[in-house]
Amino acid sequence: IVCIVIVISSQFNKYQIFLLFMISCFFCKPIFLSILEKKTERKAENKIVEYLNNHKKGNEKLCILGNQSKIYWLTNIPCNSPYFFTYPILQSSKSILYNRFINDFEKQKPTWIVYEKYNYFEKSILKILDNYQLVFSEKNTDLYHIVTN
């Protein structure tokens, strides 16, 4: 973009060049913001992974509410259910997948839950967090650990 502006700028006066520069900055802003945002998301994700790797024990299970399924791989903690709870398609309590997910969750409660706050889950699914304690929070992601009596 800078090269194009330089080549074109020889035909324009200072004010027109400034205007071209401002327009190009306006249209490039989303690109720069997305790059910066991805870096901060990765940092948050890395902190969650680091916390889990430092605090995990033997036979534990993990449940992720949101689109962070790579945490399973990065922490080597298995999922408690074959169903991923990622997108709103599973949210309806009338959904077969939702009911299967809840049944699996009740049969084998995970030790850890990663919850992405910006995903707007139905209130019924958030009830599963009742027996869990918030242990770590980073950006838009919370990490919960099961409360043992």
Side-chain angles (χ1 to χ4, degrees):
I1 294 175
V2 173
C3 294
I4 294 170
V5 170
I6 291 172
V7 170
I8 295 174
S9 67
S10 61
Q11 302 169 4
F12 299 103
N13 65 35
K14 291 181 203 178
Y15 300 109
Q16 291 170 328
I17 293 171
F18 179 73
L19 183 63
L20 281 173
F21 176 74
M22 295 305 289
I23 291 171
S24 64
C25 287
F26 175 78
F27 286 108
C28 292
K29 181 181 174 184
I31 296 168
F32 295 123
L33 289 178
S34 70
I35 291 169
L36 292 174
E37 188 175 287
K38 284 180 183 176
K39 284 183 181 179
T40 57
E41 281 180 17
R42 278 188 243 126
K43 286 179 185 176
E45 179 184 286
N46 289 341
K47 288 180 182 180
I48 295 282
V49 168
E50 183 179 335
Y51 186 92
L52 280 168
N53 283 331
N54 289 335
H55 293 86
K56 70 181 178 180
K57 296 182 176 113
N59 253 343
E60 296 181 333
K61 301 285 183 187
L62 175 64
C63 176
I64 297 175
L65 303 176
N67 192 18
Q68 296 286 335
S69 57
K70 63 185 157 198
I71 292 176
Y72 292 117
W73 182 74
L74 293 171
T75 60
N76 204 23
I77 302 175
C79 182
N80 69 315
S81 170
Y83 304 100
F84 284 35
F85 206 87
T86 306
Y87 295 111
I89 192 168
L90 287 173
Q91 288 190 19
S92 170
S93 54
K94 297 175 185 172
S95 165
I96 293 170
L97 292 176
Y98 175 91
N99 291 322
R100 287 180 183 171
F101 176 82
I102 294 299
N103 288 338
D104 284 348
F105 189 90
E106 292 301 323
K107 286 178 190 173
Q108 189 171 18
K109 289 196 180 282
T111 311
W112 302 96
I113 295 178
V114 175
Y115 170 58
E116 282 187 310
K117 291 183 268 189
Y118 61 84
N119 283 326
Y120 300 103
F121 291 111
E122 194 176 274
K123 288 183 181 181
S124 63
I125 193 65
L126 296 180
K127 289 179 184 176
I128 66 174
L129 296 176
D130 287 347
N131 297 325
Y132 289 82
Q133 176 183 4
L134 178 66
V135 292
F136 189 79
S137 183
E138 184 67 33
K139 191 132 170 103
N140 290 322
T141 307
D142 289 342
L143 178 64
Y144 291 86
H145 190 267
I146 194 164
V147 175
T148 53
N149 295 334

